[in-house]
Amino acid sequence: MSSRVIHLLLLCSTTTTTTVPGGGPAAAAAAAAGAPPPSSSSSSVRVRVQVGLPPGRRAKSRLVLPPRCASSAGMEPGATTALYPLHRCKTIYLVRHAQGIHNVAGEKDFGAYMSHDLFDAQLTPLGWSQVDGLREHVKKSGLAEKIELVISSPLLRTMQTAVGVFGGEKYTDGVNAPPLMVENAGHSGRPAVSSLNCPPFIAVETCREHLGVHPCDKRRSITEYRPLFPAIDFSLIENDEDVLWEPDVREANEAVALRGMKFMDWLWTREEKEIAIVSHSGFLFHTLSMYSKECHPTIRDEVSKHFANCELRSMVLVDRSMLGSYSPRFNYPGKIPAGLDLPSDIADKKLVEEAEKN
């Protein structure tokens, strides 16, 4: 099986690496999550998520040896740093949705996650307060001006979080643009959110939470969502109804991790370089655990720990296998002098070559 070669790097930190070892992705994901290797029954879990690659674009995977990750002992000089061309990097901002009604119910009684009353759970009043706090941080830090695209899981709580944090100011009548969210969407009690002066929003199935069994993780039809979130682009979702969620089959952890890696591959089909992604605790944890499993324990713990509600983490996504095809924007080719100004190392090489000829 081909190895995954996209990497996640923490900003201003040690390199983190992702590969899927030859022993099998299921075993690797289980090990990363601290679980025993999956049994033969768990490997039969069905996952039918479309990555959403544009026509004619296919992600490539090549077998590449992972770069050095510093171990806790015997650290070599220079082993904790890495260099990558800037045009082969994207900055991603990973966000877990704010507190939902299912989080409150599940904390009191885990069995509540089976309740159909929590179907497609919406945010709580505390959750909306968390959204307001993160929105203020995003604006004050200057991040609001940097983000070129917002990707959201197509569930009510993630889309509410996404538009609340990264959307435009309050929507007013007379503005000739559809709102990102209409007033009181999902019984939020919130005013409409404008789509002006903010990045585009798209909904993507691949970054959903664990599929199956829990009604809170089942989405509504796209026909129901469109009137609530008019300016969100749902065109990458192939089916109106939720055909991925099954009442009696819960997606395995290793399947979630592999789906997450497909999602990261798909990001390289996008032209945007600064992307915010609003997703879920399980999806983020298992995906990042897979990516960080061969890194130094300190970095692994930092990358793969569970997200709090409405937590944001900034990371760098590195393309080591030319999945993307982007030209460097800031590089300048220059010219090597042909005369006396020839660089000394090249001149020395030429002297050696001349000597060998004679």
Side-chain angles (χ1 to χ4, degrees):
M1 177 177 176
S2 298
S3 294
R4 297 283 180 186
V5 288
I6 286 182
H7 290 238
L8 281 174
L9 307 180
L10 276 184
L11 291 180
C12 303
S13 72
T14 303
T15 305
T16 67
T17 309
T18 177
T19 56
V20 178
S39 65
S40 58
S41 60
S42 66
S43 63
S44 65
V45 173
R46 291 167 287 170
V47 182
R48 300 188 301 273
V49 179
Q50 295 296 321
V51 176
L53 290 171
R57 296 293 301 272
R58 294 187 62 188
K60 303 173 185 176
S61 293
R62 299 179 184 176
L63 183 60
V64 177
L65 293 177
R68 295 174 297 178
C69 268
S71 60
S72 56
M75 200 180 299
E76 298 178 58
T80 59
T81 60
L83 285 173
Y84 294 94
L86 180 62
H87 67 283
R88 301 229 169 265
C89 302
K90 291 181 187 286
T91 305
I92 58 176
Y93 304 93
L94 302 174
V95 180
R96 181 193 175 193
H97 63 78
Q99 185 191 67
I101 60 171
H102 65 305
N103 296 134
V104 177
E107 188 171 338
K108 294 177 182 177
D109 175 16
F110 185 80
Y113 284 113
M114 299 297 294
S115 171
H116 289 277
D117 293 337
L118 300 178
F119 165 65
D120 192 19
Q122 73 268 22
L123 297 186
T124 66
L126 175 58
W128 279 109
S129 178
Q130 294 170 341
V131 166
D132 292 338
L134 180 54
R135 179 183 181 86
E136 182 178 4
H137 166 75
V138 165
K139 294 183 71 175
K140 285 186 176 180
S141 66
L143 183 55
E145 287 103 38
K146 292 171 64 69
I147 292 176
E148 302 169 61
L149 176 69
V150 179
I151 297 173
S152 177
S153 160
L155 273 79
L156 189 56
R157 59 189 180 271
T158 42
M159 290 189 289
Q160 287 178 325
T161 301
V163 301
V165 172
F166 301 107
E169 297 303 325
K170 293 179 180 178
Y171 189 79
T172 56
D173 292 336
V175 176
N176 189 24
L180 277 168
M181 185 180 79
V182 300
E183 183 179 1
N184 196 36
H187 307 290
S188 64
R190 303 281 289 197
V193 177
S194 173
S195 61
L196 297 174
N197 302 315
C198 64
F201 285 66
I202 60 174
V204 178
E205 293 260 48
T206 328
C207 61
R208 284 177 59 175
E209 184 57 291
H210 277 82
L211 300 170
V213 180
H214 295 172
C216 59
D217 298 328
K218 179 177 172 61
R219 69 164 171 85
R220 302 168 196 269
S221 68
I222 302 304
T223 299
E224 292 178 82
Y225 283 143
R226 287 189 194 278
L228 300 178
F229 303 95
I232 292 183
D233 181 359
F234 293 96
S235 63
L236 293 180
I237 298 179
E238 296 186 352
N239 298 285
D240 185 50
E241 297 294 335
D242 188 355
V243 300
L244 301 175
W245 188 91
E246 299 181 49
D248 54 355
V249 179
R250 184 71 170 167
E251 187 178 18
N253 293 342
E254 61 269 18
V256 176
L258 291 175
R259 173 159 58 87
M261 299 180 80
K262 289 181 180 179
F263 173 75
M264 295 296 184
D265 283 357
W266 171 78
L267 288 178
W268 280 104
T269 70
R270 304 290 312 187
E271 296 293 334
E272 299 87 357
K273 307 291 280 187
E274 306 257 352
I275 303 174
I277 298 149
V278 183
S279 186
H280 306 264
S281 175
F283 174 83
L284 294 170
F285 174 76
H286 293 296
T287 300
L288 297 180
S289 293
M290 176 70 87
Y291 271 103
S292 62
K293 64 182 296 293
E294 294 188 10
C295 289
H296 187 282
T298 301
I299 299 303
R300 183 169 63 247
D301 292 344
E302 183 177 354
V303 172
S304 62
K305 66 181 179 180
H306 281 283
F307 277 63
N309 282 124
C310 223
E311 180 180 355
L312 181 152
R313 296 184 202 165
S314 306
M315 300 189 186
V316 175
L317 188 66
V318 175
D319 176 14
R320 296 183 63 241
S321 66
M322 299 185 70
L323 290 175
S325 57
Y326 310 115
S327 300
R329 289 185 295 172
F330 305 113
N331 291 8
Y332 180 74
K335 185 177 181 180
I336 295 178
L340 296 177
D341 291 332
L342 196 68
S344 60
D345 56 338
I346 296 180
D348 290 343
K349 182 180 178 181
K350 284 185 173 293
L351 287 174
V352 172
E353 289 174 351
E354 291 296 327
E356 290 176 346
K357 289 180 182 178
N358 297 330

